Structure formats: C-alpha cells, structure tokens
C-alpha cells in the first residue's frame, strides 16, 4: 500500500465514522465477539462427538457389530444365516449353511435344489473341510473358516483353501452360486519333527470384510511373527498394517468399525497368558494409536464406546469411551471352566453372551452405558432382533 492509498483509506474511514458510524468501536467489538464465539464452538466439539462421527455404521458394507474368535452368524434385515457343524469324521468336518426367517422363525438349509436331502457334499448348503488327508482334491475349494463367514452387499463371503492358497469365496444369498473372487494368501502349514514322528499343523487366517477391504492375519500360533494385512476387494496388492516380531506374538480379534480397524496385539508367555493392548488403525490416514491398555479379552465397539472383558475365573466388564479413552468399570461375574464370552450391540443396549463348552448359551447379561441392567438365566434377547 503506497502513501496515497493509506491516506485515502484513512480519510474514508474517518468520513464514515462521522456520517454513518460504520467503523464504530462497538461494531468492531461485536465482530470480535462473534469470532470468539465461533472459535469457542469449534473448541467445544468434544472428541466423543468426533469419534461418534467417525464411527458411523452402514449395515450392507460394514463388518458385523459383534465379535467372537470365529463368527458363525451373519445377520440381515429379514433374518440370519448360521454356519453350523453338520458332522465330523476324524479331522474332516462338514458345515451346513442355514437361514432363519425373522417373521416366521423357520430355519432351512440354504439350498435351491429340488428333492435334495441336504446330507451330501453336493448340497448347495453344505461345505466340506479338506485341508489335509488323502481325500482332498487340489482342484476343489474347501471351507476353512471354522464357522466364520460374512454377509456383505447382499452376498455371503467365506475363506476357502484351493491347492496351496486361501481364497475368498462369494456365495449367493440363496446358495445357488459359488465363485472364488480373490486370492488372499498362501495356506499356512508348519511341519515339525518330534523324535521319529512328523507333525503337520494347519493355521487359519482370521479375516473381516469392511468398506471395500479384506482385513486378515495369517500366522503360526506360538511362532515368531504376527502380521495384520489388508487387500482391496477383488484386488491383488497386499498392504501390511502391522508386523510384530518377538517371542510368540499375536494379533487377533480384528474388529473394523467406522473409519477404524480395532485389533488386539501382544505376546504370549510360557503359561499361555497374553500380555496385550487394544489398538486402532485409522483407515483414512493409515495411522495406528493405542486405544486401551492391558486388554486381552473379548470386546465390541458400539455407539462411540468399546465394551470389553478381562479376566478368567472372575470376568470384569468395562466401557471405554473413544473420546477420553478412560475405562469405566461396569460389573463382574464368575466364569465357568471353558466358558467363552461374546458381546454385541442390540438396539440401545449391549448384550453379553456366556457360551458353554457345548456351544449353548448359559446366560445373557444386558448393559446400558455404564450399568448392568439385567441378567437372564434363560436367554431372552436374540441378536439383532431390533433391526
């Protein structure tokens, strides 16, 4: 600005002050207050609100809201699919895919073949495991999900082994079509010698599909490395999210939700106890942050909070806000030997399921925010009944 422009601007402001009061100190003060109020409003957007925004849930494209080591239910708005163990001969198992209608409550095998008895491998609903043994054919796809499968964009997806590799199989909602849509990784088998004997152990990838990506691990339990990968649906390029190299490292219980992928990572001691934490991978900026310390049990992410369990004989339940990351103790309960725990969101509440060795429900506990609402000896609430 030259001298003439400066004098002209100063005189203009002086003229307005005299004639119209346009540059009054009160107006400047009001504008300043408006700006301060605007900045204050921005500052008052809590991290809880930000977390809530980034943790939105889309039914058709997102990983299911509950979590077990291997999820054997897939929920739709009209009912739910179940992958149940049909029979077991030695180490070779057959699973059957069923569907339960929400309105009628009727359960049927997912098969469209007429006059099918639903007992043979030719049934659309039946899936064989054939990862080892002489009967396994290199040209056939064998199911290796241990009950896990997922509903995604109107179809079902599950991991299969064909030859030496793990593929993602797409199954039609009525069971009539099957196709291997992408190769995930090499099927992991470790052969070790014990004296004169040779033992072969097979390891299964844990995976979740979420918003166009497949997230999975492919590790030897008790090995020296553990890695979390992801691949774009239908793509070939593999990305490494996290790689651990130590004594018996583990990455497990992968749980995508919103813009994050949560997982537990740590190491196992000689007694089989895990020393681990909960981490979150931001799918937008690809950064990882610590979400919760000393968490090794089961958990679920629900409406901006993480509900998780810790302990064995006595199990404690906590709620972890994704805004403050401060855990709040809710309740505790005695655990039976061999009992497992599963958590999921249902309507406005969180349901905690206690499953015995036979795979049956012992009881259900209902949580709301940081309170235990009720415990049912006979389970009364079904998963996703409010959808």
């Amino acid at each position: 600005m030259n001298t003439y422009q400066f004098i002209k601007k100063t005189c203009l402001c002086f003229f307005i002050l005299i004639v119209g009061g346009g540059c009054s100190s009160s107006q400047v003060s009001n504008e300043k207050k408006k700006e301060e109020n605007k900045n204050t409003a921005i500052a008052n957007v809590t991290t809880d609100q930000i977390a809530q925004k980034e943790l939105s849930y889309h039914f058709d494209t997102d990983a299911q809201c509950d979590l077990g080591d291997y999820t054997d239910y897939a929920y739709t708005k009209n009912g739910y699919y179940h992958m149940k163990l049909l029979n077991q001969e030695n180490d070779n198992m057959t699973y059957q895919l069923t569907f339960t209608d929400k309105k009628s409550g009727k359960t049927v095998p997912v098969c469209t073949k007429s006059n099918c008895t639903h007992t043979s491998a030719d049934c659309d609903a039946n899936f064989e495991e054939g990862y080892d043994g002489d009967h396994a054919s290199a040209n056939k796809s064998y199911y290796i999900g241990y009950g896990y499968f997922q509903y995604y964009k109107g179809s079902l997806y599950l991991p299969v082994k064909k030859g030496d590799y793990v593929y993602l199989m797409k199954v039609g909602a009525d069971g009539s079509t099957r196709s291997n849509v992408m190769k995930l990784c090499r099927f992991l088998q470790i052969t070790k010698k014990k004296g004169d004997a040779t033992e072969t152990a097979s390891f299964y990838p844990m995976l979740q599909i979420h918003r166009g990506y497949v997230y999975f691990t492919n590790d030897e339990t008790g090995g020296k490395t553990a890695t979390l990968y992801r691949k774009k649906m239908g793509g070939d390029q593999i990305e490494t999210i996290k790689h651990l190299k130590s004594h018996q490292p583990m990455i497990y219980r992968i749980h995508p939700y919103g813009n994050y992928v949560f997982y537990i990572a740590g190491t196992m001691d000689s007694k089989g106890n895990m020393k681990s934490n909960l981490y979150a991978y931001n799918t937008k900026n690809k950064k990882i942050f610590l979400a919760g310390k000393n968490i090794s049990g089961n958990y679920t992410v629900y409406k901006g909070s993480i509900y998780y369990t810790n302990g064995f004989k006595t199990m404690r339940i906590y709620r972890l806000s994704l805004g403050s990351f401060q855990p709040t103790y809710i309740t505790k309960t005695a655990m039976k030997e061999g009992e497992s725990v599963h958590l999921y969101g249902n309507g406005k509440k969180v349901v905690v399921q206690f499953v015995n060795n036979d795979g049956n429900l012992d009881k259900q506990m209902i949580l709301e925010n940081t309170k235990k609402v009720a415990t049912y000896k006979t389970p009364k609430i079904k998963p996703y009944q409010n959808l």
Side-chain angles (χ1 to χ4, degrees), residues 317-370:
I317 304 175
Y318 300 85
R319 175 179 178 259
L320 182 71
S321 168
L322 289 174
S324 62
F325 295 103
Q326 294 298 317
T328 301
Y329 170 75
I330 300 177
T331 188
K332 67 179 179 180
T333 183
M335 291 281 291
K336 295 180 181 179
E337 188 174 350
E339 199 170 46
S340 61
V341 182
H342 303 271
L343 301 90
Y344 60 86
N346 181 295
K348 296 181 180 180
K349 298 176 176 62
V350 170
V351 180
V352 186
Q353 290 186 334
F354 297 81
V355 183
N356 60 32
N357 280 327
D358 297 325
N360 299 316
L361 287 177
D362 282 336
K363 61 182 177 182
Q364 285 184 330
M365 186 180 292
I366 313 303
L367 311 176
E368 190 168 7
N369 293 326
T370 58

Side-chain angles (χ1 to χ4, degrees), residues 82-93:
H82 175 47
M83 185 71 81
K84 69 175 184 178
L85 182 61
L86 190 64
N87 58 58
Q88 181 173 355
E89 296 179 5
N90 299 321
D91 290 331
N92 301 309
M93 295 177 279

Side-chain angles (χ1 to χ4, degrees), residues 56-65 74-79 81 150-157 173 209-213 233 384 387:
S56 57
Y57 179 72
H58 307 298
F59 185 83
D60 289 328
T61 62
D62 290 8
Q64 195 165 280
C65 282
Y75 301 97
T76 73
K77 293 184 178 180
N78 296 319
Y81 292 91
Q150 187 171 330
Y151 180 81
Y152 180 79
K153 287 188 174 181
S155 298
L156 299 165
Y157 291 84
I209 305 168
H210 186 70
R211 299 187 181 182
Y213 286 89
M233 283 286 285
Y384 290 89
L387 283 177

Side-chain angles (χ1 to χ4, degrees), residues 129-201:
E129 275 201 340
Y131 50 85
D132 54 18
D134 296 334
H135 78 285
S137 168
N139 296 319
K140 187 175 179 179
S141 296
Y142 293 96
Y143 173 63
I144 55 169
Y146 258 125
Y148 167 81
F149 68 114
Q150 187 171 330
Y151 180 81
Y152 180 79
K153 287 188 174 181
S155 298
L156 299 165
Y157 291 84
L158 49 88
V160 296
K161 175 185 180 292
K162 183 178 180 181
D164 294 329
Y165 291 92
V166 177
Y167 292 82
L168 188 67
M169 176 183 280
K170 179 180 180 180
V171 180
D174 63 356
S176 62
T177 59
R178 298 185 186 185
S179 61
N180 294 342
V181 294
M182 61 186 295
K183 184 190 290 184
L184 292 180
C185 54
R186 183 177 288 274
F187 183 70
L188 186 59
Q189 286 186 308
I190 306 295
T191 301
K192 295 180 180 179
K193 280 192 173 183
K194 284 193 174 182
D196 296 331
T198 301
E199 293 182 356
T200 300

